[in-house]
Amino acid sequence: MLLEVKNLNKKFGSVSAANNINFKMNENEIIGVIGANGAGKTTFCNIITGYLKPDSGVILYEGKNITKFNVQEIKNIGIHRSFQIPQVFENLGVLENIIITELVAKNKQNALFEDAYSKKNYQNAIKLLEKFSFDVDKFKDKTVKELPQGARKVLDILIAIIGKPKVILLDEPTSGISTDEKNVIMKNILRAIKEFNISVLFIEHDMEIVEKFSERVVAFYNGEIIADDKPSKVFNQNNVKKFIIGGL
Amino acid sequence: MAVKKLERYKMRGLINKDKLLLIAFLFTFISFWFLLPDYAINTISLSFCNGLVILGLLLLMRAGLISFGHGMYYCLGGYAVAMTYNFLQIKEVFVLIAFSVLAGFIVSFFLGFFVRRFRGIFFAMLNLALSMILFGIIVKSISLGSTDGFGIKELTYFNHAIEDEKRLNIFSYLLIVILTSLMMMIVMTFLKSPSGKILEAIRENEIRSSYLGISINKQIHKIYIFSSTLAALGGGLMVILIGHITPEDTAYWTRSGEFVFVAILSGSLNVFAPLIGSLFFEFIRSYALFYFPNTWQMIIGVVLILGILYLPEGIGSIFNKRKK
Ligand SMILES: Nc1ncnc2c1ncn2[C@@H]1O[C@H](COP(=O)(O)OP(=O)(O)O)[C@@H](O)[C@H]1O
Ligand SMILES: [Mg+2]
């Protein structure tokens, strides 16, 4: 078992954002997560990645208890994430975003006697962006704040992939992206991720995308998991139809 | 021959445009000793001592922080020199300077554990509070010289006494100019390294930075020590130049405010900006004080407004046009 969550609870005041959640993830799995706004999907990611501490419950990673790990420790054991609202270095260039991420991934955050923005590092960054079908020629000389929403989103995901994670959590990777682009972007991202043997959990509102790209679907409702199965089964479950698909 | 050698160094990245510029900067200021009148040399020397504090603030600004209390380390560095001189009878300049650096390093190392948890205005004001505490302690302690402070007399450079000389002499001038250039070189190398770029990541987005695995508080602690030690060195050199220190001129909040003023005017684009900014400020101050003794603060205010309007990224942007 790669990742296991047992009896997880988290309350914000009277709102129960995680209500006795049990969840398991195997190696190389691609899991889609669905649920209406406010169902607790992002909170689930925040707790796993150590950003929020649960009120109770246990998180195991390869059998090891990681419930008390902080964000850096979680990252260092190989769980990375992307964000619903891209978290990138807005005033830095696209390539500089990638270079800094790679430097930290190579554990060079205290290196003093080398040039961070060397020609070699720029070339590597360009290669990496090309590999993920990022429109390098168009965007490489831009700062992040000049990018369109879709490109920013992809950059945020790429930053999460750098550093060979074992698990990656994608929080609404296609939100704010046009319907035509969604498929292309998901395909590119998942192809790249597959190559590295990374397990993926992605939160998604578009049921077609979920059906197409996931092998397993987990449905959240009011902080609870109400379904966890193959896409076809979950989509046909009554409460899922009523509370999630019908509610969209 | 020489040209070929230079080319080879360039290839290996040992020499680049910025380093050449810095070497030119150093030799220009050394040559000023022979060209400019005493009062100008004095102003340059003093502005370099203060410029080291601004250079320290530049490091904090790279990480998105500012301190309203960096005068504290300027004061500590100065008192380290003055007290070592008076209480330990040490007259060797290089030993005195070592004490000022050590004082800044040790104090910022311990205070760093406390201040590194704060950001923005809280970080700035906390430093202000700490510097006012130091001010209070010194003013209330007779053994620390109270409001009178301390003076120092003749010094030795590598055991050579300079008797009956003025405080400002070729040795103290070279010491200040060379040490300042050396610090600029170190800061420049640091800012280009991964360590330096990490600061920009922290400034831009702390959430993503911590998700990349950066230990943000530790990085801020590191930069705080670096920055404070530079400020202490500046204070130490200032005492060697002026021969006297008081708490009012160093740890009091108006002095820290002046440092912040010059730091903002200078911007954080490159390591030349703090020194040029400081130079500019000292000259304006001495001229304005001379010609407009009652309105010089107003002139300084107008300069800041012009700076904000026309050079929003600071004086550094004059010779650092974005390479894009
Ligand atoms: N930091 C927070 N403080 C207070 N309430 C929060 C916080 N984060 C999330 N919530 C609440 O928890 C619930 C679940 O939120 P979230 O996990 O963001 O939902 P989702 O991602 O599924 O849309 C919502 O009711 C939300 O308002
Ligand atoms: Mg969400």
Side-chain angles (χ1 to χ4, degrees), chain B residues 93-112:
Chain B
V93 162
F94 297 92
V95 178
L96 294 173
I97 288 298
F99 270 93
S100 73
V101 167
L102 208 61
F105 182 88
I106 292 172
V107 173
S108 59
F109 173 80
F110 286 108
L111 290 184

mmCIF file of all heavy atoms in Angstrom, chain B residues 93-112:
data_model
loop_
_atom_site.group_PDB
_atom_site.id
_atom_site.type_symbol
_atom_site.label_atom_id
_atom_site.label_comp_id
_atom_site.label_asym_id
_atom_site.label_seq_id
_atom_site.Cartn_x
_atom_site.Cartn_y
_atom_site.Cartn_z
ATOM 1 N N VAL B 93 43.540 47.531 14.009
ATOM 2 C CA VAL B 93 42.294 47.728 13.291
ATOM 3 C C VAL B 93 41.635 46.411 12.878
ATOM 4 O O VAL B 93 40.432 46.235 13.028
ATOM 5 C CB VAL B 93 42.538 48.613 12.040
ATOM 6 C CG1 VAL B 93 41.391 48.480 11.066
ATOM 7 C CG2 VAL B 93 42.706 50.055 12.459
ATOM 8 N N PHE B 94 42.463 45.477 12.393
ATOM 9 C CA PHE B 94 41.864 44.252 11.874
ATOM 10 C C PHE B 94 41.236 43.400 12.969
ATOM 11 O O PHE B 94 40.232 42.737 12.753
ATOM 12 C CB PHE B 94 42.896 43.473 11.055
ATOM 13 C CG PHE B 94 43.340 44.244 9.854
ATOM 14 C CD1 PHE B 94 44.454 45.075 9.897
ATOM 15 C CD2 PHE B 94 42.581 44.213 8.685
ATOM 16 C CE1 PHE B 94 44.823 45.836 8.802
ATOM 17 C CE2 PHE B 94 42.941 44.974 7.582
ATOM 18 C CZ PHE B 94 44.074 45.785 7.635
ATOM 19 N N VAL B 95 41.824 43.470 14.167
ATOM 20 C CA VAL B 95 41.229 42.762 15.306
ATOM 21 C C VAL B 95 39.922 43.446 15.707
ATOM 22 O O VAL B 95 38.911 42.779 15.964
ATOM 23 C CB VAL B 95 42.216 42.725 16.499
ATOM 24 C CG1 VAL B 95 41.561 42.025 17.693
ATOM 25 C CG2 VAL B 95 43.500 42.031 16.100
ATOM 26 N N LEU B 96 39.938 44.771 15.720
ATOM 27 C CA LEU B 96 38.731 45.509 16.095
ATOM 28 C C LEU B 96 37.582 45.199 15.128
ATOM 29 O O LEU B 96 36.442 44.978 15.535
ATOM 30 C CB LEU B 96 39.018 47.019 16.099
ATOM 31 C CG LEU B 96 40.011 47.500 17.163
ATOM 32 C CD1 LEU B 96 40.340 48.971 16.957
ATOM 33 C CD2 LEU B 96 39.447 47.271 18.560
ATOM 34 N N ILE B 97 37.919 45.179 13.850
ATOM 35 C CA ILE B 97 36.901 44.876 12.838
ATOM 36 C C ILE B 97 36.354 43.462 13.036
ATOM 37 O O ILE B 97 35.152 43.213 12.934
ATOM 38 C CB ILE B 97 37.511 45.016 11.420
ATOM 39 C CG1 ILE B 97 37.744 46.487 11.094
ATOM 40 C CG2 ILE B 97 36.596 44.414 10.362
ATOM 41 C CD1 ILE B 97 36.489 47.311 11.069
ATOM 42 N N ALA B 98 37.256 42.538 13.364
ATOM 43 C CA ALA B 98 36.825 41.166 13.596
ATOM 44 C C ALA B 98 35.827 41.119 14.750
ATOM 45 O O ALA B 98 34.818 40.397 14.690
ATOM 46 C CB ALA B 98 38.023 40.274 13.894
ATOM 47 N N PHE B 99 36.076 41.940 15.793
ATOM 48 C CA PHE B 99 35.142 41.968 16.927
ATOM 49 C C PHE B 99 33.780 42.515 16.506
ATOM 50 O O PHE B 99 32.743 42.039 16.963
ATOM 51 C CB PHE B 99 35.721 42.816 18.069
ATOM 52 C CG PHE B 99 36.552 42.023 19.028
ATOM 53 C CD1 PHE B 99 37.928 41.916 18.865
ATOM 54 C CD2 PHE B 99 35.942 41.342 20.081
ATOM 55 C CE1 PHE B 99 38.694 41.158 19.747
ATOM 56 C CE2 PHE B 99 36.696 40.586 20.964
ATOM 57 C CZ PHE B 99 38.084 40.496 20.793
ATOM 58 N N SER B 100 33.767 43.516 15.641
ATOM 59 C CA SER B 100 32.471 44.081 15.240
ATOM 60 C C SER B 100 31.667 43.060 14.437
ATOM 61 O O SER B 100 30.464 42.898 14.629
ATOM 62 C CB SER B 100 32.664 45.386 14.467
ATOM 63 O OG SER B 100 33.166 45.143 13.178
ATOM 64 N N VAL B 101 32.361 42.341 13.551
ATOM 65 C CA VAL B 101 31.682 41.328 12.749
ATOM 66 C C VAL B 101 31.137 40.220 13.650
ATOM 67 O O VAL B 101 29.995 39.774 13.510
ATOM 68 C CB VAL B 101 32.661 40.742 11.693
ATOM 69 C CG1 VAL B 101 32.095 39.485 11.064
ATOM 70 C CG2 VAL B 101 32.958 41.789 10.627
ATOM 71 N N LEU B 102 31.973 39.829 14.601
ATOM 72 C CA LEU B 102 31.578 38.765 15.523
ATOM 73 C C LEU B 102 30.353 39.168 16.350
ATOM 74 O O LEU B 102 29.425 38.380 16.543
ATOM 75 C CB LEU B 102 32.760 38.468 16.451
ATOM 76 C CG LEU B 102 32.854 37.055 17.001
ATOM 77 C CD1 LEU B 102 32.989 36.065 15.856
ATOM 78 C CD2 LEU B 102 34.042 36.945 17.956
ATOM 79 N N ALA B 103 30.348 40.424 16.811
ATOM 80 C CA ALA B 103 29.225 40.908 17.619
ATOM 81 C C ALA B 103 27.928 40.829 16.815
ATOM 82 O O ALA B 103 26.911 40.325 17.298
ATOM 83 C CB ALA B 103 29.492 42.344 18.070
ATOM 84 N N GLY B 104 27.979 41.305 15.565
ATOM 85 C CA GLY B 104 26.789 41.265 14.716
ATOM 86 C C GLY B 104 26.341 39.839 14.471
ATOM 87 O O GLY B 104 25.143 39.523 14.543
ATOM 88 N N PHE B 105 27.307 38.979 14.213
ATOM 89 C CA PHE B 105 26.994 37.591 13.905
ATOM 90 C C PHE B 105 26.319 36.896 15.096
ATOM 91 O O PHE B 105 25.260 36.296 14.960
ATOM 92 C CB PHE B 105 28.275 36.836 13.519
ATOM 93 C CG PHE B 105 28.046 35.402 13.149
ATOM 94 C CD1 PHE B 105 27.739 35.052 11.842
ATOM 95 C CD2 PHE B 105 28.108 34.404 14.113
ATOM 96 C CE1 PHE B 105 27.506 33.743 11.497
ATOM 97 C CE2 PHE B 105 27.865 33.076 13.775
ATOM 98 C CZ PHE B 105 27.571 32.746 12.453
ATOM 99 N N ILE B 106 26.929 37.027 16.269
ATOM 100 C CA ILE B 106 26.426 36.290 17.438
ATOM 101 C C ILE B 106 25.038 36.783 17.832
ATOM 102 O O ILE B 106 24.117 35.988 18.036
ATOM 103 C CB ILE B 106 27.408 36.415 18.624
ATOM 104 C CG1 ILE B 106 28.700 35.657 18.284
ATOM 105 C CG2 ILE B 106 26.789 35.847 19.902
ATOM 106 C CD1 ILE B 106 29.821 35.858 19.274
ATOM 107 N N VAL B 107 24.880 38.101 17.913
ATOM 108 C CA VAL B 107 23.582 38.633 18.351
ATOM 109 C C VAL B 107 22.482 38.278 17.343
ATOM 110 O O VAL B 107 21.397 37.852 17.724
ATOM 111 C CB VAL B 107 23.661 40.159 18.572
ATOM 112 C CG1 VAL B 107 22.276 40.724 18.851
ATOM 113 C CG2 VAL B 107 24.604 40.476 19.725
ATOM 114 N N SER B 108 22.778 38.413 16.045
ATOM 115 C CA SER B 108 21.730 38.114 15.062
ATOM 116 C C SER B 108 21.449 36.614 15.005
ATOM 117 O O SER B 108 20.324 36.199 14.726
ATOM 118 C CB SER B 108 22.117 38.624 13.674
ATOM 119 O OG SER B 108 23.318 38.032 13.236
ATOM 120 N N PHE B 109 22.464 35.809 15.314
ATOM 121 C CA PHE B 109 22.220 34.365 15.351
ATOM 122 C C PHE B 109 21.158 34.041 16.402
ATOM 123 O O PHE B 109 20.207 33.318 16.131
ATOM 124 C CB PHE B 109 23.521 33.609 15.662
ATOM 125 C CG PHE B 109 23.327 32.131 15.881
ATOM 126 C CD1 PHE B 109 23.189 31.284 14.792
ATOM 127 C CD2 PHE B 109 23.252 31.600 17.161
ATOM 128 C CE1 PHE B 109 22.981 29.923 14.981
ATOM 129 C CE2 PHE B 109 23.046 30.240 17.353
ATOM 130 C CZ PHE B 109 22.918 29.404 16.255
ATOM 131 N N PHE B 110 21.293 34.618 17.593
ATOM 132 C CA PHE B 110 20.325 34.299 18.656
ATOM 133 C C PHE B 110 18.988 34.992 18.423
ATOM 134 O O PHE B 110 17.938 34.361 18.540
ATOM 135 C CB PHE B 110 20.907 34.625 20.031
ATOM 136 C CG PHE B 110 21.949 33.626 20.450
ATOM 137 C CD1 PHE B 110 23.295 33.950 20.473
ATOM 138 C CD2 PHE B 110 21.577 32.321 20.785
ATOM 139 C CE1 PHE B 110 24.254 33.007 20.819
ATOM 140 C CE2 PHE B 110 22.530 31.364 21.130
ATOM 141 C CZ PHE B 110 23.880 31.706 21.154
ATOM 142 N N LEU B 111 19.000 36.281 18.085
ATOM 143 C CA LEU B 111 17.727 36.977 17.855
ATOM 144 C C LEU B 111 17.001 36.388 16.638
ATOM 145 O O LEU B 111 15.782 36.431 16.551
ATOM 146 C CB LEU B 111 17.967 38.476 17.656
ATOM 147 C CG LEU B 111 18.400 39.245 18.900
ATOM 148 C CD1 LEU B 111 18.517 40.728 18.585
ATOM 149 C CD2 LEU B 111 17.419 39.025 20.051
ATOM 150 N N GLY B 112 17.776 35.833 15.704
ATOM 151 C CA GLY B 112 17.193 35.264 14.495
ATOM 152 C C GLY B 112 16.142 34.194 14.786
ATOM 153 O O GLY B 112 15.133 34.104 14.093
#
